[in-house]
Amino acid sequence: MADTLPSHASVVVIGGGIMGCSTFYHLAKMGVSDAILLERNALTSGTTWHSAAQVRALRHSRNQTRMIQYSIELYSQLEQETGQSVGWIQKGALSIATTPDRLTHIQRQEALAKAYGLNAQSISVAEAKERWPLMNADDVLGAVWSPDDGRVSPSDVCAALVKAAKKLGAKLFERTGVTGILTENGRIRGVESSQGTIMCDAIALCAGLWSREVGAMAGAEVPALACEHFYLLTKPVDGIVGNMPTLSDQDNHLYIRDDSGGLLVGCLEPLGKPIAPGVLNETFEFGLLPEDWDHFEPMMINALRRLPALEKAEVKMLLNGPESFTPDGTFMLGETAETRGLFLGCGMNSLGIASGGGAGMNLAHCIVHGHTAYDLPEADAKRFAPAFNNLDHLMARAPEILGTRYDIAFPGKQYKSARNLRSLPLDKEYRDAKAHMGQFNGWERPLYFNKTAEPVLRFDRPDWFENVRAEVMAAHQEAAIFDSSTFGKIEVQGPDAESFLLHVCAGHMTRPPGSVIYTAMLNERGTFESDLTAQRIAQDHYRLFVGTTAIKRDLAWLRHHSQGFNNVTLTDSTESYAVLGLMGPEAARIVHQCGATADVDKIGYFKHGTVHLAGKQVRAARMSFVGEAGWELTCRVDDVPAVYAALVAAGAKPAGLLAQSSMRIEKGFCAMGHELDGDTTPIAAGLAFTIRKGSGYIGADALVEARARGEVSRIISLTLDDNTAVPLGHEPIYLDGRVVGQTSSCAFGYRVGKPVGLGYSHEPLKDGVRVKIDIARQMSDATVTIGTLFDPEGMRMKGRG
């Protein structure tokens, strides 16, 4: 331990668990030799020390999988680098299924592994029994074997990481608690500690269970909460010889492995036990919570059924250690929206060791280079609406998140807790129309209407199939209303509005007032930070419409880049305006019946103008996200009930998000989080035509380089032959027996009468080429289309079809 706290450091890492140690190590590796790590007690003394320390590579996204693959590579070579043993044991992992739906789930995981280049394969029940002889396999239907997974000693890994960082000049201070964080004008300036004050340029907040409270010292929201987490340890058991694979019995909420000749039986039970803030204070060091056999009993019954040898095993202890969980089950990584220079690496959801190596590398990369090494939007620190940081909501949601770790990944699954945080202006009207609601950034949005019973979640054709068909057909043959009120709305005003948006946006922002402009916001790498639609209302006023889940992130990005533009203001007007998309061949008749004058017919495609509907002033924008003619109608929140009532009385029918998604995919429209992300350029996404020529905007130089190296569009549309196939997205695409791409968005295309998808190809594919889509290891034939599946000329949405 270093003796004297320095007066200044480039970066202060707070917390000596796996995330803090990994970030500390990677900062030093990236040249931040004056980084320091502050640990209130001793290294790993919070939750890291008692981790079961499983490292399983496959995750639901390519980059999260890539991140854990990095962890595996790091852990396997640390001993050679540092001379410190880390206890890396690579004996693989075995996932079993005891229900048909779980079998589909693990087969979808196997297919995903193929897309990501991981070694995973289905094996017979007999082979699974050979790999785990102590297992009762009477009810097992199938299994998937992942030979490259492993486990590690968490304390030894942290010791090795710190040892390597210190050799590079970084300094560790144990027994140094953080008592305050200094900020100035919304930016980090320093840290107050029990050993003195240190000024710094950035903080990596990796304080585990206590991250929410430490973040609040800097005025930042860190929605994470601790829950109790249990595993059983036994004394040596006959039949355990050496190290064995990790056994995942997720239908019974169990994970099982050997431990010192005995068994470690852990659970992620359906509903966990939350721990209120303050219960675990600064004295909680290498601590455990009381055993709770009553709570563990249902899991113990499951374990005895799976492992008959457990009945005679002698119990060492029922370990109860806290773990922190976030509202969506994914950790937080990156700079906060509220405080510049404060970077989060916390809320690990019991995956700290598996994620820690790669997550620490990405956090260090973000601090040093301004962005993660690859896009990790699902972990973005800015993704949560403020409502999720409410303690009551966290106490309700965190226990559910613990249980969902082993849920079957059914399409359409929704959380049950912490619901109804934000309601649409038309919430009552939609519920009266029997809407089935889903939660997005805290908002309750209609997924589909005319629900007659709670849907049974499944992998084959969903219960809502005909409901969605009716809504698509309403938009295709008559008129439907799609509510987009949850989209973020940002007012950009002032004499510098145009010059500012020319700097941050790659689109044609000089178009005159009355124009609608689709544009990308790019980073310096020429990849997407966001895509948005701008309405130019006046020479000095634009209204930006951004994604439902993007408002916090996009507003932070815009505010950061507005420095130097003194005559521009940015205002979040999301909850001041409602937006209804009226789409379909009857849309024109309906708006006239509701009071619009002939002026509405003069609004050209991608233009907007003011009209009156039901006596209310409405801004009508001629555009379509579903490929049918109509308008997006923006009005004040107080006015939307009257407007909606008039539209419905004139014959429009409400339609939900599932219908909109189906129609979007048929039209080949890309969406953030699906086709567009921080690893993708507009060129690769087939959106080069939306980008203005020349320079002057963020990312322009990178696009010049991309064109020079021959980058072309890689986006494809897919039509599946089998009408009963249900692709969900992320399926591998095969050509001649090799993986050539992956789906990104999928649905049933009701207007084309087939299951459809969008995807990316790794290599050029010709229009009409035949490929196969791997849906849970069942190959489905499909045809590639370069372009749009429905109305390729776009005549219908322009009112000419």
Side-chain angles (χ1 to χ4, degrees):
M1 175 173 168
D3 294 326
T4 306
L5 196 70
S7 60
H8 182 271
S10 298
V11 183
V12 173
V13 180
I14 300 175
I18 181 61
M19 269 304 299
C21 293
S22 178
T23 304
F24 185 56
Y25 166 85
H26 286 100
L27 284 168
K29 283 280 191 177
M30 293 177 192
V32 187
S33 59
D34 69 336
I36 69 167
L37 191 158
L38 303 182
E39 163 54 47
R40 179 169 62 190
N41 295 311
L43 290 182
T44 77
S45 61
T47 63
T48 295
W49 72 275
H50 62 69
S51 169
Q54 300 172 107
V55 185
R56 304 199 63 181
L58 183 62
R59 292 294 177 261
H60 71 277
S61 78
R62 179 179 296 276
N63 282 349
Q64 281 210 40
T65 299
R66 181 179 174 187
M67 182 189 70
I68 299 180
Q69 286 178 295
Y70 179 92
S71 292
I72 291 173
E73 293 169 7
L74 176 67
Y75 300 158
S76 62
Q77 62 84 34
L78 263 179
E79 183 172 351
Q80 181 178 352
E81 178 184 349
T82 65
Q84 165 78 48
S85 172
V86 300
W88 174 244
I89 299 170
Q90 195 165 22
K91 289 293 184 177
L94 182 67
S95 297
I96 61 173
T98 62
T99 65
D101 283 333
R102 178 68 65 182
L103 186 59
T104 299
H105 174 88
I106 66 172
Q107 287 170 337
R108 284 189 60 82
Q109 289 183 313
E110 181 192 357
L112 196 61
K114 305 293 186 188
Y116 296 161
L118 295 179
N119 188 2
Q121 60 209 40
S122 292
I123 61 174
S124 67
V125 175
E127 188 175 349
K129 176 73 173 174
E130 286 179 14
R131 294 186 182 279
W132 249 95
L134 294 181
M135 172 180 66
N136 171 16
D138 290 348
D139 60 343
V140 176
L141 302 179
V144 169
W145 168 243
S146 303
D148 296 333
D149 293 338
R151 62 185 190 261
V152 75
S153 167
S155 296
D156 290 337
V157 163
C158 290
L161 292 167
V162 168
K163 181 177 181 180
K166 289 168 68 176
K167 278 187 177 180
L168 294 169
K171 295 179 180 179
L172 164 67
F173 291 85
E174 295 180 289
R175 306 295 167 191
T176 306
V178 172
T179 57
I181 294 177
L182 304 176
T183 63
E184 182 181 350
N185 298 322
R187 187 178 244 315
I188 290 295
R189 288 292 178 242
V191 176
E192 295 176 325
S193 80
S194 58
Q195 302 299 322
T197 298
I198 179 169
M199 308 307 291
C200 61
D201 304 315
I203 290 172
L205 175 52
C206 307
L209 306 173
W210 301 279
S211 295
R212 184 171 181 266
E213 291 80 0
V214 178
M217 294 179 183
E221 296 173 348
V222 186
L225 188 88
C227 287
E228 299 182 25
H229 179 55
F230 299 86
Y231 61 75
L232 177 75
L233 292 170
T234 77
K235 293 182 179 179
V237 172
D238 289 343
I240 299 290
V241 180
N243 295 122
M244 301 174 67
T246 297
L247 173 63
S248 290
D249 179 9
Q250 296 182 353
D251 285 322
N252 288 296
H253 316 287
L254 301 173
Y255 60 89
I256 301 163
R257 66 169 173 82
D258 63 276
D259 185 86
S260 302
L263 289 166
L264 183 156
V265 181
C267 71
L268 288 160
E269 66 273 31
L271 191 66
K273 295 176 64 180
I275 305 170
V279 171
L280 307 178
N281 59 26
E282 64 275 5
T283 66
F284 190 82
E285 178 182 0
F286 296 108
L288 293 172
L289 300 164
E291 293 183 344
D292 188 340
W293 286 97
D294 289 341
H295 184 79
F296 189 70
E297 182 181 13
M299 303 301 104
M300 188 66 182
I301 292 170
N302 291 345
L304 287 165
R305 198 162 46 234
R306 183 62 57 219
L307 298 172
L310 190 60
E311 186 173 355
K312 296 181 180 179
E314 189 175 350
V315 172
K316 272 191 198 175
M317 68 181 302
L318 178 62
L319 186 144
N320 180 4
E323 297 278 0
S324 59
F325 294 84
T326 63
D328 64 0
T330 302
F331 58 88
M332 290 173 282
L333 190 147
E335 191 173 33
T336 65
E338 298 85 5
T339 308
R340 297 283 294 167
L342 180 65
F343 294 82
L344 304 184
C346 53
M348 302 310 291
N349 297 278
S350 196
L351 288 170
I353 296 297
S355 303
M361 180 275 288
N362 272 283
L363 183 56
H365 197 283
C366 190
I367 295 168
V368 173
H369 299 288
H371 57 87
T372 51
Y374 32 80
D375 195 40
L376 291 165
E378 60 271 74
D380 194 310
K382 303 179 183 71
R383 71 188 184 273
F384 291 116
F388 282 113
N389 198 39
N390 176 283
L391 184 55
D392 289 340
H393 299 153
L394 283 172
M395 290 287 285
R397 175 62 64 83
E400 183 183 7
I401 291 296
L402 182 149
T404 58
R405 280 282 314 283
Y406 281 175
D407 270 0
I408 296 173
F410 287 118
K413 185 171 178 57
Q414 290 283 318
Y415 294 120
K416 295 181 175 66
S417 62
R419 295 296 298 265
N420 301 310
L421 305 184
R422 307 170 84 184
S423 297
L424 288 167
L426 295 170
D427 184 76
K428 181 181 184 304
E429 287 85 344
Y430 294 149
R431 294 183 189 273
D432 288 346
K434 300 179 181 177
H436 182 66
M437 309 297 272
Q439 189 183 65
F440 300 87
N441 202 35
W443 293 101
E444 298 292 332
R445 297 184 70 179
L447 298 178
Y448 63 90
F449 288 87
N450 294 312
K451 179 177 76 172
T452 56
E454 282 300 311
V456 176
L457 298 180
R458 60 211 316 159
F459 285 114
D460 57 359
R461 182 162 285 183
D463 286 5
W464 53 79
F465 184 86
E466 292 302 331
N467 303 63
V468 177
R469 180 199 296 277
E471 294 167 23
V472 170
M473 288 300 109
H476 182 52
Q477 298 170 351
E478 303 169 71
I481 301 169
F482 299 89
D483 196 319
S484 298
S485 301
T486 62
F487 278 19
K489 304 163 199 77
I490 301 169
E491 311 295 328
V492 182
Q493 294 172 278
D496 285 351
E498 181 182 283
S499 58
F500 168 62
L501 290 177
L502 284 170
H503 173 61
V504 296
C505 296
H508 301 275
M509 308 311 294
T510 58
R511 286 178 177 158
S515 297
V516 178
I517 307 156
Y518 172 79
T519 182
M521 282 201 304
L522 306 177
N523 50 49
E524 294 289 356
R525 305 180 304 286
T527 60
F528 281 89
E529 284 294 318
S530 181
D531 77 328
L532 56 93
T533 301
Q535 293 182 9
R536 191 167 193 177
I537 294 171
Q539 198 68 27
D540 61 353
H541 182 191
Y542 295 76
R543 180 172 296 141
L544 310 183
F545 294 80
V546 305
T548 297
T549 60
I551 179 62
K552 193 173 183 179
R553 171 187 170 120
D554 286 358
L555 195 53
W557 178 266
L558 289 165
R559 284 174 173 158
H560 173 54
H561 289 2
S562 67
Q563 296 173 17
F565 295 89
N566 297 323
N567 295 312
V568 65
T569 61
L570 301 169
T571 307
D572 180 0
S573 62
T574 300
E575 299 195 34
S576 297
Y577 293 99
V579 181
L580 302 179
L582 177 67
M583 302 293 160
E586 290 289 302
R589 175 192 64 78
I590 288 172
V591 293
H592 286 297
Q593 187 172 327
C594 292
T597 63
D599 290 346
V600 73
D601 300 320
K602 298 175 183 177
I603 299 174
Y605 191 62
F606 260 62
K607 302 292 183 183
H608 65 84
T610 301
V611 300
H612 284 81
L613 300 178
K616 308 296 183 182
Q617 182 170 295
V618 173
R619 187 171 299 280
R622 185 71 156 175
M623 56 189 295
S624 177
F625 198 47
V626 298
E628 302 289 348
W631 296 268
E632 287 202 354
L633 308 171
T634 303
C635 64
R636 304 294 302 188
V637 162
D638 291 345
D639 293 338
V640 74
V643 172
Y644 174 79
L647 297 176
V648 170
K653 297 178 174 64
L657 192 60
L658 296 179
Q660 179 177 287
S661 295
S662 165
M663 299 173 83
R664 170 186 77 80
I665 295 165
E666 285 180 313
K667 281 299 297 174
F669 292 151
C670 297
M672 282 296 295
H674 297 275
E675 292 71 44
L676 311 180
D677 59 32
D679 291 333
T680 304
T681 69
I683 301 169
L687 293 170
F689 68 95
T690 68
I691 305 301
R692 65 183 189 269
K693 296 282 193 279
S695 58
Y697 58 88
I698 298 170
D701 293 343
L703 293 188
V704 170
E705 294 174 7
R707 290 188 177 96
R709 64 175 178 264
E711 184 163 287
V712 295
S713 174
R714 297 186 292 108
I715 194 82
I716 57 174
S717 294
L718 297 155
T719 309
L720 281 69
D721 292 359
D722 181 1
N723 270 16
T724 66
V726 185
L728 303 176
H730 298 289
E731 291 90 359
I733 303 168
Y734 283 80
L735 176 66
D736 298 331
R738 68 184 190 281
V739 176
V740 295
Q742 191 175 1
T743 64
S744 50
S745 298
C746 294
F748 192 88
Y750 296 93
R751 292 175 295 187
V752 302
K754 295 281 186 182
V756 297
L758 292 171
Y760 276 98
S761 60
H762 306 325
E763 58 187 70
L765 297 179
K766 293 182 179 179
D767 191 81
V769 72
R770 301 282 286 164
V771 296
K772 294 182 182 293
I773 311 299
D774 183 349
I775 305 175
R777 305 308 288 143
Q778 299 296 311
M779 295 297 180
S780 189
D781 293 320
T783 301
V784 170
T785 297
I786 308 301
T788 299
L789 299 175
F790 173 75
D791 187 27
E793 300 301 320
M795 293 295 103
R796 288 185 66 90
M797 64 185 181
K798 295 174 184 175
R800 301 171 195 158

